[in-house]
Amino acid sequence: MKKVITYGTFDLLHEGHLKLLQRAKALGDYLIVGVTSDSFDRGRGKLNVKNNVLERVASVKATGYADEIIIEDYLGQKIDDIQRFDVDVFAIGSDWEGKFDYLKEYCEVVYLPRTEGISSTMLRERQDA
Ligand code: C2G
């Protein structure tokens, strides 16, 4: 069984997230999605997130693409997860191109095309307007 893992905040879940999850799932048989905790996001400077972690987990669950959902809560967790779950493929959007090449020591790393014209930032701005 080929295991794929991906991570994200998935705030105000939109079509870009949906496509990313669909493409990640298609890379293997079993998809693990790591949803960032609120404190992990604050720590990496994402201060504007609208949905809390439970809401974001529920949105990811509702897509039907995730076989398992975990919480990402600390720096360096990706390596631990890949080893713990015996992951074959790490997938992430192309806005991160090159940034996760250090994981190639542990599994295959795939950058998936990002969906243009939609983002959580755009939706948050629209909500605030
Ligand atoms: N994404 C996409 N198209 C968009 C927006 C997002 O393909 N228009 C993808 C991103 O590339 C990412 C996933 O959707 O793979 C989740 O995006 P975010 O919620 O913005 O999360 P991000 O900050 O990219 O988290 O540890 C966390 C991860 O490193 C990345």
Side-chain angles (χ1 to χ4, degrees), residues 10 13 17-26 29-33 56-69:
F10 303 104
L13 196 120
H17 297 138
L18 266 178
K19 285 192 174 149
L20 186 284
L21 292 173
Q22 182 186 32
R23 289 171 179 148
K25 170 79 177 177
D29 309 301
Y30 190 85
L31 178 64
I32 303 170
V33 181
R56 292 181 287 108
V57 165
S59 308
V60 169
K61 193 172 181 186
T63 69
Y65 291 122
D67 295 290
E68 188 168 345
I69 299 176

Side-chain angles (χ1 to χ4, degrees), residues 8-10 17 44 46 72 78 93 95-96 114-115 118:
T9 303
F10 303 104
H17 297 138
R44 64 187 187 125
K46 274 202 167 184
E72 183 180 29
K78 291 182 177 81
D95 46 319
W96 291 97
R114 182 184 162 85
T115 305
I118 179 105

Side-chain angles (χ1 to χ4, degrees), residues 34-105:
V35 176
T36 53
S37 70
D38 297 324
S39 61
F40 183 71
D41 270 336
R42 278 196 297 274
R44 64 187 187 125
K46 274 202 167 184
L47 305 174
N48 243 341
V49 178
K50 295 284 182 191
N51 297 147
N52 67 39
V53 66
L54 292 179
E55 295 168 320
R56 292 181 287 108
V57 165
S59 308
V60 169
K61 193 172 181 186
T63 69
Y65 291 122
D67 295 290
E68 188 168 345
I69 299 176
I70 60 171
I71 304 298
E72 183 180 29
D73 199 32
Y74 61 91
L75 254 167
Q77 187 181 325
K78 291 182 177 81
I79 293 175
D80 289 348
D81 291 341
I82 289 165
Q83 293 183 321
R84 187 157 56 108
F85 294 106
D86 200 15
V87 165
D88 300 287
V89 183
F90 170 89
I92 198 102
S94 53
D95 46 319
W96 291 97
E97 187 79 51
K99 296 267 167 44
F100 290 105
D101 285 357
Y102 70 92
L103 294 174
K104 286 181 181 168
E105 198 178 315

